[in-house]
Amino acid sequence: MSSMLKTKDWKTQARRALSATEIVAALSRLEGWKLTGDGPDVAIEKRFAFANYFETIAFVNALALVAHRHDHHPDLSVHYNRCVVRFNTHDVGGLSATDFECAGQADALLA
């Protein structure tokens, strides 16, 4: 299987909820991402704008590969010329480093 399609095995990875200080520091390194929700529903979110539906869906499909590779799937709100991406880590009841890693990779898709 291609390494791009191989998923991470989270049973071998230690994930934990980040502290408020760690979240603020990680968020400051991302352009355009904002904090939403609170408690176990806290997430980071960004709105990506596109010229048309084809570009939006191309982004969604590329993001699906990133999500699959990390076995970490965002909530997506897909529209004609935009997509809202929302990451959080349900199994830690907050935000983990994985959320910020995947957010950075989502940005890299358009760099």
Side-chain angles (χ1 to χ4, degrees):
M1 176 186 289
S2 167
S3 63
M4 179 61 155
L5 297 177
K6 187 175 181 183
T7 63
K8 279 191 178 182
D9 182 1
W10 288 111
K11 294 180 290 255
T12 64
Q13 307 284 324
R15 283 200 294 186
R16 65 173 179 80
L18 299 177
S19 69
T21 303
E22 291 171 313
I23 290 169
V24 170
L27 197 55
S28 73
R29 292 187 291 272
L30 294 173
E31 182 77 29
W33 289 85
K34 64 180 182 176
L35 204 55
T36 64
D38 56 13
D41 293 324
V42 69
I44 54 173
E45 180 178 292
K46 183 173 181 178
R47 180 183 183 271
F48 291 87
F50 302 96
N52 54 51
Y53 190 71
F54 176 79
E55 288 182 12
T56 303
I57 295 305
F59 171 77
V60 168
N61 287 330
L63 185 58
L65 285 175
V66 170
H68 179 74
R69 194 176 101 223
H70 286 280
D71 193 25
H72 194 66
H73 307 94
D75 290 328
L76 301 174
S77 178
V78 180
H79 307 274
Y80 173 78
N81 62 352
R82 68 191 181 286
C83 178
V84 178
V85 180
R86 186 176 192 271
F87 282 105
N88 72 344
T89 305
H90 301 286
D91 59 338
V92 300
L95 291 168
S96 71
T98 307
D99 297 307
F100 292 94
E101 182 180 344
C102 289
Q105 290 190 12
D107 286 341
L109 291 172
L110 300 175

